[in-house]
Amino acid sequence: GESVGLHLPTLSVQEGDNSIINCAYSNSASDYFIWYKQESGKGPQFIIDIRSNMDKRQGQRVTVLLNKTVKHLSLQIAATQPGDSAVYFCAEIPLGVAGTALIFGKGTTLSVSS
Amino acid sequence: NAGVMQNPRHLVRRRGQEARLRCSPMKGHSHVYWYRQLPEEGLKFMVYLQKENIIDESGMPKERFSAEFPKEGPSILRIQQVVRGDSAAYFCASSLRLGVDTEAFFGQGTRLTVV
């Protein structure tokens, strides 16, 4: 089964609002997490990453929060814009598993209306 | 510096034919990963290769699917005797090295349709 999953399949927001996309993971040994954005017809694009020894990391308009106690990851997008409309995936790399690539969850579709 | 290049972007095959999907990693990247994405689904890991070696093929179906990453040239994902269930988007990613703090860059994907 999936080791990484998303709480909600879709999220609709108004332009200018803040968006929060959630992700639950089951592998407590996972050491590294990444959020990807995938626009229609394109490949996933890296947004931001975080290591398990951190609980927060900020980028430009985006913040990732990691709660290892409840194995929860979230992506916060400030002042959401129409160009942010896409599917967002969280992905993980389990610690200590040699040769393991990223494991993806199913994704949350973010729709931003003007 | 060109990104990860996949071709063809779209591929139509009849049941029973062979499909060959190509992936040229970013310059200097020796790690290549293949993923499959079904409609409305996440990306499922298939295989991880380094130059001339398959490191992890745990996500690859045991039959009809194979992958290679030769010393020269692109990585190839080969699907023999395709069936309708093989219809999906296939994405390739490459990275400089494996593991934490290593960003994997994705190509635009090959959309395979089996008719």
Side-chain angles (χ1 to χ4, degrees):
Chain A
E2 295 285 343
S3 72
V4 180
L6 288 256
H7 287 314
L8 292 173
T10 60
L11 176 65
S12 297
V13 300
Q14 291 285 325
E15 181 178 2
D17 287 351
N18 296 330
S19 302
I20 299 177
I21 300 172
N22 296 305
C23 177
Y25 63 95
S26 58
N27 189 340
S28 58
S30 288
D31 186 52
Y32 182 53
F33 303 88
I34 305 177
W35 280 99
Y36 280 90
K37 171 186 180 183
Q38 186 177 26
E39 296 175 275
S40 181
K42 296 185 178 180
Q45 179 183 5
F46 175 95
I47 302 174
I48 192 167
D49 59 357
I50 189 167
R51 295 192 65 168
S52 61
N53 62 354
M54 305 169 67
D55 54 21
K56 181 179 180 179
R57 192 171 187 201
Q58 286 186 294
Q60 187 176 15
R61 282 203 306 121
V62 294
T63 301
V64 55
L65 299 177
L66 176 62
N67 186 330
K68 293 181 288 293
T69 303
V70 295
K71 292 184 285 188
H72 182 268
L73 194 68
S74 69
L75 176 69
Q76 300 178 359
I77 305 174
T80 314
Q81 302 167 1
D84 294 326
S85 295
V87 180
Y88 290 80
F89 295 97
C90 60
E92 63 175 326
I93 291 182
L95 174 67
V97 182
T100 299
L102 291 166
I103 300 171
F104 283 81
K106 286 190 176 180
T108 292
T109 301
L110 175 66
S111 298
V112 183
S113 51
S114 306
Chain B
N1 185 13
V4 177
M5 304 300 292
Q6 289 188 249
N7 68 83
R9 290 292 308 277
H10 300 275
L11 182 62
V12 179
R13 284 287 177 268
R14 295 187 182 278
R15 282 179 294 172
Q17 290 185 320
E18 178 180 285
R20 280 184 178 243
L21 288 62
R22 294 174 184 76
C23 169
S24 295
M26 286 184 69
K27 187 176 181 180
H29 286 192
S30 60
H31 299 254
V32 166
Y33 318 85
W34 284 94
Y35 289 82
R36 176 164 61 178
Q37 186 176 35
L38 295 170
E40 311 300 322
E41 296 279 335
L43 286 85
K44 300 284 190 182
F45 168 73
M46 298 181 74
V47 61
Y48 158 47
L49 309 104
Q50 274 186 280
K51 280 289 187 181
E52 299 183 273
N53 292 304
I54 296 175
I55 307 301
D56 180 359
E57 55 182 349
S58 59
M60 195 97 102
K62 293 288 187 285
E63 297 179 351
R64 302 189 297 106
F65 285 73
S66 62
E68 62 177 8
F69 189 16
K71 186 177 181 181
E72 302 290 337
S75 175
I76 306 288
L77 179 68
R78 182 182 178 204
I79 311 172
Q80 294 178 292
Q81 298 175 309
V82 295
V83 300
R84 289 227 171 101
D86 297 331
S87 296
Y90 291 83
F91 289 95
C92 167
S94 75
S95 67
L96 196 56
R97 58 186 180 277
L98 175 72
V100 175
D101 295 333
T102 302
E103 183 177 346
F105 294 85
F106 282 83
Q108 299 283 47
T110 293
R111 278 146 188 85
L112 173 66
T113 302
V114 180
V115 296

Coordinates of all heavy atoms in Angstrom, one line a residue, chain B residues 75-107:
Chain B
S75 N 18.7 6.6 -21.4 CA 18.1 5.4 -20.8 C 16.8 5.0 -21.6 O 16.1 5.9 -22.1 CB 17.7 5.8 -19.3 OG 17.0 4.7 -18.7
I76 N 16.6 3.7 -21.7 CA 15.4 3.2 -22.4 C 14.6 2.4 -21.5 O 15.1 1.5 -20.8 CB 15.9 2.3 -23.6 CG1 16.9 3.0 -24.5 CG2 14.7 1.8 -24.4 CD1 16.3 4.1 -25.3
L77 N 13.3 2.7 -21.5 CA 12.3 1.8 -20.9 C 11.5 1.1 -22.0 O 11.0 1.8 -22.9 CB 11.3 2.7 -20.0 CG 10.2 1.9 -19.3 CD1 10.8 1.0 -18.3 CD2 9.1 2.8 -18.7
R78 N 11.6 -0.2 -22.0 CA 11.0 -1.0 -23.0 C 9.8 -1.8 -22.5 O 10.0 -2.5 -21.5 CB 12.1 -1.9 -23.6 CG 11.7 -2.8 -24.7 CD 12.9 -3.7 -25.1 NE 12.6 -4.6 -26.2 CZ 13.3 -5.7 -26.4 NH1 14.2 -6.1 -25.6 NH2 12.9 -6.5 -27.4
I79 N 8.7 -1.7 -23.2 CA 7.6 -2.5 -22.9 C 7.2 -3.4 -24.1 O 6.9 -2.9 -25.1 CB 6.3 -1.6 -22.5 CG1 6.8 -0.5 -21.5 CG2 5.2 -2.5 -21.9 CD1 5.7 0.5 -21.3
Q80 N 7.3 -4.7 -23.9 CA 7.0 -5.6 -24.9 C 5.5 -6.1 -24.9 O 4.9 -6.1 -23.8 CB 7.9 -6.9 -24.8 CG 9.4 -6.6 -25.0 CD 10.2 -7.8 -24.9 OE1 10.4 -8.3 -23.8 NE2 10.8 -8.3 -26.0
Q81 N 5.0 -6.4 -26.0 CA 3.6 -6.9 -26.1 C 2.7 -6.1 -25.2 O 2.0 -6.6 -24.3 CB 3.6 -8.4 -25.7 CG 4.5 -9.2 -26.6 CD 4.5 -10.7 -26.1 OE1 4.8 -10.9 -24.9 NE2 4.2 -11.6 -27.0
V82 N 2.6 -4.8 -25.6 CA 1.8 -3.9 -24.7 C 0.3 -4.3 -24.7 O -0.2 -4.9 -25.6 CB 1.9 -2.4 -25.2 CG1 3.3 -1.9 -25.1 CG2 1.4 -2.3 -26.7
V83 N -0.3 -4.0 -23.5 CA -1.7 -4.2 -23.3 C -2.3 -2.9 -22.9 O -1.6 -1.9 -22.6 CB -1.9 -5.3 -22.2 CG1 -1.3 -6.6 -22.5 CG2 -1.4 -4.8 -20.8
R84 N -3.7 -2.9 -22.9 CA -4.4 -1.6 -22.6 C -4.0 -1.0 -21.3 O -3.9 0.2 -21.1 CB -5.9 -1.8 -22.8 CG -6.3 -2.0 -24.2 CD -7.5 -1.1 -24.5 NE -7.8 -1.2 -25.9 CZ -8.8 -1.9 -26.5 NH1 -9.6 -2.6 -25.7 NH2 -9.0 -1.9 -27.7
G85 N -3.8 -1.9 -20.3 CA -3.4 -1.5 -19.0 C -2.1 -0.8 -18.9 O -1.8 -0.2 -17.8
D86 N -1.3 -0.8 -19.9 CA 0.0 -0.1 -19.9 C -0.2 1.3 -20.3 O 0.8 2.1 -20.1 CB 1.0 -0.8 -20.9 CG 1.3 -2.2 -20.6 OD1 1.3 -2.6 -19.4 OD2 1.6 -3.0 -21.5
S87 N -1.3 1.7 -20.7 CA -1.6 3.1 -21.0 C -1.4 4.0 -19.8 O -2.1 3.8 -18.8 CB -3.0 3.3 -21.6 OG -3.2 2.6 -22.8
A88 N -0.5 4.9 -19.9 CA -0.2 5.8 -18.7 C 0.8 6.8 -19.2 O 1.3 6.8 -20.3 CB 0.4 4.9 -17.6
A89 N 1.1 7.7 -18.3 CA 2.2 8.6 -18.5 C 3.5 8.1 -17.8 O 3.4 7.7 -16.6 CB 1.9 10.0 -17.9
Y90 N 4.6 8.0 -18.5 CA 5.8 7.5 -17.9 C 6.8 8.7 -17.8 O 7.1 9.3 -18.8 CB 6.4 6.4 -18.8 CG 5.5 5.2 -18.9 CD1 4.4 5.1 -19.7 CD2 5.8 4.1 -18.0 CE1 3.6 4.0 -19.7 CE2 5.0 3.0 -18.0 CZ 3.9 2.9 -18.8 OH 3.1 1.8 -18.8
F91 N 7.3 8.9 -16.6 CA 8.2 10.0 -16.3 C 9.5 9.4 -15.9 O 9.7 8.4 -15.2 CB 7.6 10.8 -15.2 CG 6.4 11.7 -15.5 CD1 5.2 11.2 -15.2 CD2 6.6 12.9 -16.2 CE1 4.0 11.9 -15.6 CE2 5.5 13.6 -16.5 CZ 4.2 13.2 -16.2
C92 N 10.5 10.2 -16.4 CA 11.9 9.9 -16.1 C 12.4 11.1 -15.2 O 12.0 12.2 -15.5 CB 12.7 9.8 -17.4 SG 14.5 9.8 -17.2
A93 N 13.3 10.7 -14.3 CA 13.9 11.8 -13.5 C 15.4 11.5 -13.4 O 15.8 10.3 -13.5 CB 13.3 11.9 -12.1
S94 N 16.2 12.5 -13.2 CA 17.6 12.2 -13.0 C 18.1 13.1 -11.9 O 17.5 14.1 -11.5 CB 18.4 12.6 -14.3 OG 18.5 14.0 -14.5
S95 N 19.2 12.6 -11.3 CA 19.8 13.3 -10.2 C 21.3 13.2 -10.3 O 21.8 12.2 -10.9 CB 19.3 12.9 -8.8 OG 19.7 11.6 -8.5
L96 N 22.0 14.1 -9.6 CA 23.5 14.1 -9.6 C 24.0 12.9 -8.7 O 25.0 12.2 -9.0 CB 24.0 15.4 -9.0 CG 25.4 15.8 -9.2 CD1 25.8 15.8 -10.7 CD2 25.7 17.1 -8.5
R97 N 23.3 12.6 -7.6 CA 23.6 11.5 -6.8 C 22.3 11.0 -6.1 O 21.3 11.6 -6.3 CB 24.7 11.9 -5.7 CG 24.2 13.1 -4.9 CD 25.3 13.6 -4.0 NE 24.9 14.7 -3.1 CZ 24.8 15.9 -3.5 NH1 25.3 16.3 -4.7 NH2 24.4 16.9 -2.7
L98 N 22.4 10.0 -5.3 CA 21.3 9.5 -4.6 C 21.1 10.0 -3.2 O 22.1 10.2 -2.5 CB 21.3 8.0 -4.5 CG 20.2 7.3 -3.8 CD1 18.9 7.3 -4.5 CD2 20.6 5.8 -3.5
G99 N 19.9 10.3 -2.8 CA 19.7 10.5 -1.4 C 19.3 11.8 -0.9 O 18.8 12.7 -1.7
V100 N 19.4 12.1 0.3 CA 19.0 13.3 1.0 C 19.6 14.5 0.4 O 20.8 14.5 0.0 CB 19.3 13.2 2.5 CG1 18.9 14.4 3.2 CG2 18.5 12.0 3.1
D101 N 18.9 15.6 0.3 CA 19.4 16.8 -0.3 C 19.7 16.7 -1.7 O 20.4 17.6 -2.3 CB 20.6 17.3 0.5 CG 20.3 17.7 2.0 OD1 19.1 18.0 2.2 OD2 21.2 17.6 2.8
T102 N 19.3 15.7 -2.4 CA 19.6 15.6 -3.8 C 18.3 15.8 -4.6 O 17.4 14.9 -4.5 CB 20.2 14.2 -4.1 OG1 21.3 14.0 -3.4 CG2 20.5 14.1 -5.6
E103 N 18.2 16.9 -5.3 CA 17.0 17.1 -6.1 C 17.0 16.2 -7.3 O 17.9 16.1 -8.0 CB 16.9 18.6 -6.5 CG 15.7 19.0 -7.2 CD 15.6 20.4 -7.5 OE1 16.4 21.2 -7.0 OE2 14.8 20.8 -8.4
A104 N 15.8 15.6 -7.5 CA 15.6 14.9 -8.8 C 14.8 15.7 -9.7 O 13.7 16.3 -9.4 CB 14.8 13.6 -8.4
F105 N 15.3 15.9 -10.9 CA 14.6 16.7 -11.9 C 13.8 15.8 -12.9 O 14.4 14.8 -13.3 CB 15.7 17.5 -12.7 CG 16.4 18.5 -11.9 CD1 17.5 18.2 -11.2 CD2 16.0 19.8 -11.9 CE1 18.2 19.1 -10.4 CE2 16.6 20.8 -11.2 CZ 17.7 20.4 -10.4
F106 N 12.6 16.1 -13.2 CA 11.8 15.3 -14.0 C 11.7 15.8 -15.4 O 11.7 17.0 -15.7 CB 10.3 15.3 -13.4 CG 10.2 14.3 -12.2 CD1 10.6 14.7 -11.0 CD2 9.7 13.0 -12.4 CE1 10.5 13.9 -9.9 CE2 9.6 12.2 -11.3 CZ 10.0 12.6 -10.1
G107 N 11.5 14.9 -16.3 CA 11.2 15.2 -17.7 C 9.7 15.5 -17.9 O 8.9 15.4 -16.9

